[in-house]
Amino acid sequence: MRPHIICHMGTSIDGRLHPSRFTKAASGIPAEVLRSHYERIHDGFNADGWIIGRVTMNEMAKGTERHFANAPRLPRDAHLSNRNGRKLAIGIDPSGRVHFGKDNVGGDHAVAVLGEQVSDSHLAELREDGASYIFAGPKGDDLPGAMTQLASLFGARTLLLEGGGGINGAFLKHGLIDEFSTLIFPAVDGVAGSQSIVDYHGPDGDRPGAGQSLRLTHCETLEGGMVWLRHAVERAPG
């Protein structure tokens, strides 16, 4: 069994992800009202934690790299530090490039999802920080296996997948997204090539959503003109 995974994202009307490039809110609409909807709905899911990719986690984690010259050789087994009942802040980091510096991100317990090729020095760093870690196969790309571990080892039943677009695309390709929760800002980005909600990096012609369909389950207009959509993901039999 794996957790129920909700891809919860905020976007412009053209599907882009970076609010710093969005057009300004219309006259009389405070920007903070629009921004507040995302976290309010995030909290309302009461999920066991949230998942982001390496690039996004690097923007949030505040640690710096430390080298452990005599780090012991460790087995590539899951390591669970003291969670203290906190929600999970899960970073997909196959190469071990995120440095937490402490055991949490925004108060939620830090969990690294790694590839088995990471260095023993990095594992020593994570242990010293008080972070937990699990392995997603040799290259760190066994996302289904990692999600199963999050359920069995941490008791995670519901997790929010919150980008960026590359990691969202990888989860979609593996059939790991059960629901999309999309907040559409009344704004546009308009720049060609900007990252979108799902940015799958795979062979040309590969369709990460093949065999999957979306069914609208909720549509709501929020204060300030933001629209909240929820879609259940349905999969073809077999």
Side-chain angles (χ1 to χ4, degrees):
M1 293 291 291
R2 64 165 178 83
H4 181 85
I5 297 175
I6 303 169
C7 184
H8 178 55
M9 300 293 292
T11 176
S12 58
I13 65 170
D14 52 342
R16 309 308 191 190
L17 298 184
H18 298 288
S20 62
R21 294 203 299 263
F22 291 0
T23 50
K24 294 181 179 180
S27 176
I29 299 175
E32 58 268 22
V33 168
L34 298 176
R35 289 193 295 265
S36 69
H37 291 313
Y38 184 89
E39 289 301 328
R40 176 180 59 80
I41 292 172
H42 168 110
D43 293 343
F45 283 118
N46 196 30
D48 299 296
W50 43 276
I51 307 167
I52 55 178
R54 178 190 61 80
V55 174
T56 309
M57 185 61 88
N58 259 335
E59 295 172 354
M60 301 180 67
K62 305 300 182 183
T64 55
E65 183 176 6
R66 306 188 306 282
H67 292 283
F68 293 78
N70 299 310
R73 176 65 182 172
L74 294 168
R76 273 26 185 183
D77 297 328
H79 172 74
L80 277 62
S81 291
N82 195 344
R83 180 180 176 184
N84 288 322
R86 293 170 292 181
K87 294 182 182 295
L88 305 174
I90 303 159
I92 309 297
D93 184 25
S95 300
R97 296 166 62 183
V98 174
H99 307 284
F100 294 101
K102 53 185 178 180
D103 72 345
N104 71 90
V105 179
D108 296 330
H109 181 56
V111 181
V113 178
L114 307 169
E116 293 170 3
Q117 79 278 12
V118 298
S119 69
D120 291 301
S121 177
H122 187 65
L123 299 183
E125 178 185 309
L126 291 171
R127 286 172 176 251
E128 187 173 269
D129 289 343
S132 296
Y133 58 79
I134 62 174
F135 292 95
K139 298 180 180 180
D141 56 359
D142 181 11
L143 294 176
M147 296 304 104
T148 298
Q149 291 180 68
L150 290 170
S152 63
L153 299 175
F154 294 91
R157 296 190 176 187
T158 301
L159 294 171
L160 301 180
L161 174 64
E162 299 184 302
I167 199 64
N168 291 348
F171 271 71
L172 181 67
K173 175 63 175 178
H174 284 287
L176 293 172
I177 298 176
D178 300 295
E179 182 180 348
F180 283 91
S181 166
T182 311
L183 287 166
I184 303 175
F185 282 74
V188 66
D189 178 329
V191 177
S194 297
Q195 190 179 56
S196 61
I197 294 175
V198 177
D199 251 355
Y200 175 67
H201 300 284
D204 289 344
D206 199 359
R207 297 177 57 242
Q212 303 176 71
S213 303
L214 303 184
R215 185 178 300 278
L216 182 67
T217 60
H218 182 86
C219 179
E220 181 180 355
T221 301
L222 307 175
E223 182 182 0
M226 180 176 279
V227 177
W228 179 27
L229 303 176
R230 293 181 69 174
H231 290 85
V233 179
E234 298 180 349
R235 299 177 179 87

